[in-house]
Amino acid sequence: MAKVIKIFKTVRENWKKSILAIVITGYGVKFVNRKYEEDLLRREYCKEAKKYGDVKINIGERPRKITVFLNPAASTGKASKLFEKNAAPLLHLAGLEVNLIKTEYEGQVKKFIEVMEKNETDGIIAAGGGGTLLETVTGVMKKEDKDFKKKIPIGVIPLGKTDLFAKLLFGSDKEQVRFILDSALAVVDGFSKKMDVVEYKSEDGRNTYSLVGLTAGAYSEAEKKKQKYWYFGPLKSKWTYIRSTLTQWPSVISGKLSYLPATEENTKLQKIVIKQPLPEVKRSWWNVLHLFYKPRPQNSQEVFEEVEAEDGQEEEYTSEDVTTVEFSVIAPIVQNQQQKIVAPELHIGPSQIARKDFISEGFRREKLATRVYSSPDSRHSLVKRIKFVPDLPEDTEKKVWYSIDGEQFEAVPVEIKLLRNRLNVFHSSRTLPC
């Protein structure tokens, strides 16, 4: 009893230190418990991956080859550790042959993919942030070998800060470890589905391809500056919107916009027939009749492909001069409602907005689980094709920026359209229980 009284007196006499000790202890217990739960989660996913590795392959077969492009600089330099601790064990336990390539500079992924052959890999994985995925998609889409795009699926292991497409694919309400494990398990499962790709054609011929879309304007500029205010901790997002109203206000984007409205008729996919040669039948060396075998003439087979319909001569573009606080073109994967017309959605925000309304809208977006690309008072329309020529400032030091899948690009005249079902992406909707 005397010891209890002594402890009570010590706490009362040093109450500030006692409160600090309790807070630190509570945080430490929570941290250790979270790490323990993450280890249990990794163990369950490893057990699931090992089921694939235990399956015997026949003589003459080979393990699946996976090429991983890892950006070590993603997640402020923690990407390599995150990959090795969470994703790599699943890939190896599943018996996959993993070729890991750590990128060293921007554009390296596209250069690698440019020289890759379809028999060198069974899948390409972008392990990093939005920039790594964007380079991978662009590299694959620029391949002249059409069979490469059809046969080689791509996957994403989210190790960055934004990972917009991965959140749409696997869910935005997951902790980072489960997020990475689910994406790696999708590669292990090996199931893929065709995804739409957004094409951006610029006048200088430097085309880019993405999976989510393009945004520009005040809200996009605020998103870009969030990491700059890291020292505000959990309040950095709110401070970003407040700070944006104090400098260079109003932040608007203006230019000449032309677009072709989307209809059920002009967005229907057309079937075309492509003739491909049949593979020649190979004879084994032990066939005693091989001396009498004469190869048959190589016949061709008809393969059906679905492509977008060309613009009709009678279709007219709608043109207007726009000045808006927000301009965005979003792929169908982002659109919540199921629509008969599959086409990009054009959002044009108001031409001006009060500071308090801008801050309120920014705070509202921060509370939502998924990223928002328009305000309630924005104009929405489905479009087949878009041409946008931005008004650029006379001062060359001042730049206007697009945000494409969360990555910054200098604004230039651009033509945007949707390419339907052009890319195979590793996808799995399953997630293991806690």
Side-chain angles (χ1 to χ4, degrees), residues 321-335:
D321 293 318
V322 295
T323 298
T324 174
V325 295
E326 185 170 42
F327 170 81
S328 57
V329 182
I330 303 303
I333 189 175
V334 186
Q335 301 165 20

Side-chain angles (χ1 to χ4, degrees), residues 129-131 158 160-167 179 223 371 405-407:
K161 294 294 184 183
T162 52
D163 301 310
L164 300 179
F165 177 72
K167 289 178 181 178
F179 199 25
E223 286 284 336
R371 187 164 177 173
D405 286 16
E407 296 299 308

